[in-house]
Amino acid sequence: MVYYDVKPLGDLVREFVELHKGADYLDEQKAIQSWPNVVGSFIASHTIDLSIKDGRLFVRVDSDALRSELSYSKSLLLKNLNEMVGKEIVKEIVLN
């Protein structure tokens, strides 16, 4: 009789992603997907691009005034994004 190591599909996908993209990739994607919940629909609609590299969240917005306003809220945004993920994945926010 042959026994197979049976794992849930979610665990297999997580292992595959960690192997090919890195251990924090899924958490980084969760942080990016949480952006609209953290900043609200108005700011999210003016966000052109989001990416994370080496713990830095790069945020590109379509308005200089909005960029200036967001710069005053960086520490709160960091705190709220990391709370949504459940661990400190974003260490810095860079506004472009």
Side-chain angles (χ1 to χ4, degrees):
M1 185 175 275
V2 176
Y3 292 97
Y4 296 99
D5 183 20
V6 178
K7 294 183 180 180
L9 181 59
D11 291 348
L12 294 173
V13 170
R14 190 172 297 105
E15 287 176 18
F16 178 82
V17 169
E18 288 176 2
L19 178 66
H20 293 284
K21 297 279 190 174
D24 291 329
Y25 179 78
L26 292 176
D27 291 327
E28 291 170 352
Q29 293 307 304
K30 186 174 181 181
I32 288 171
Q33 291 174 359
S34 298
W35 179 254
N37 294 330
V38 171
V39 298
S41 60
F42 177 79
I43 294 173
S45 70
H46 290 279
T47 301
I48 298 169
D49 190 38
L50 292 170
S51 62
I52 297 179
K53 183 172 181 169
D54 299 327
R56 300 168 88 195
L57 175 65
F58 294 91
V59 180
R60 197 166 142 221
V61 293
D62 63 4
S63 164
D64 292 336
L66 183 57
R67 184 179 312 107
S68 178
E69 289 295 320
L70 286 173
S71 69
Y72 295 116
S73 303
K74 281 184 181 181
S75 60
L76 181 60
L77 294 172
L78 271 174
K79 176 183 167 287
N80 290 341
L81 277 171
N82 287 324
E83 282 180 1
M84 293 288 279
V85 175
K87 65 181 185 180
E88 185 181 6
I89 205 74
V90 179
K91 294 171 179 43
E92 180 183 359
I93 295 177
V94 179
L95 299 167
N96 296 322

